[in-house]
Amino acid sequence: MKLDDDDDGDGAAGGRMNRIGGTCSKDNIVIFQGPTNPLPDGIPTYTVQILNVCVSGCSISNIHLSCGWFSSARLINPRLFKRIFYDDCLVNNGEALSPGESLSFQYANTFRYPLSVSSIACL
């Protein structure tokens, strides 16, 4: 499985991966997304990995993504990722991702959703 180096979820590779220092910003949250094996009924599936690429001193919580009308034919643990409102999805139930920490989930839909960071809180 190859995941795109894509920090804004638009499918274009080339996200900035070299984060040095403790400055906290939404640029420290990077989203990788790529296709995986389809469901048995043929619905495409995608794996999403969300990482805090900050090296140290910047735990990030309340990570919200722009996600449109995100939905999935495959159940996603709502503590990992859930749509709250149109174009507002919450990551990790609002809990912090520590420096270097990541989480991943899979979703199934007929198309790939563009996902991008809309807001965060620095701890």
Side-chain angles (χ1 to χ4, degrees):
M1 168 180 60
K2 181 180 185 314
L3 298 177
D4 293 332
D5 177 3
D6 181 14
D7 63 352
D8 62 4
D10 67 0
R16 295 166 303 211
M17 292 299 298
N18 236 352
R19 306 282 188 233
I20 304 297
T23 303
C24 177
S25 77
K26 70 181 190 175
D27 289 338
N28 291 115
I29 299 299
V30 176
I31 303 165
F32 294 95
Q33 184 172 182
T36 53
N37 293 329
L39 294 179
D41 60 3
I43 298 173
T45 58
Y46 304 89
T47 296
V48 176
Q49 186 174 24
I50 301 170
L51 300 96
N52 178 350
V53 296
C54 182
V55 175
S56 66
C58 47
S59 289
I60 300 173
S61 65
N62 290 312
I63 301 165
H64 289 259
L65 303 185
S66 296
C67 58
W69 284 114
F70 183 90
S71 66
S72 176
R74 167 179 272 170
L75 183 63
I76 300 169
N77 181 339
R79 288 174 291 197
L80 290 179
F81 189 80
K82 67 180 171 186
R83 183 171 54 84
I84 301 171
F85 299 107
Y86 169 74
D87 211 27
D88 185 14
C89 289
L90 182 64
V91 175
N92 203 31
N93 210 32
E95 298 297 317
L97 284 182
S98 299
E101 189 176 6
S102 69
L103 63 80
S104 65
F105 62 90
Q106 289 187 336
Y107 71 92
N109 205 308
T110 53
F111 60 91
R112 182 175 134 157
Y113 281 94
L115 303 172
S116 61
V117 179
S118 58
S119 67
I120 60 150
C122 298
L123 299 178

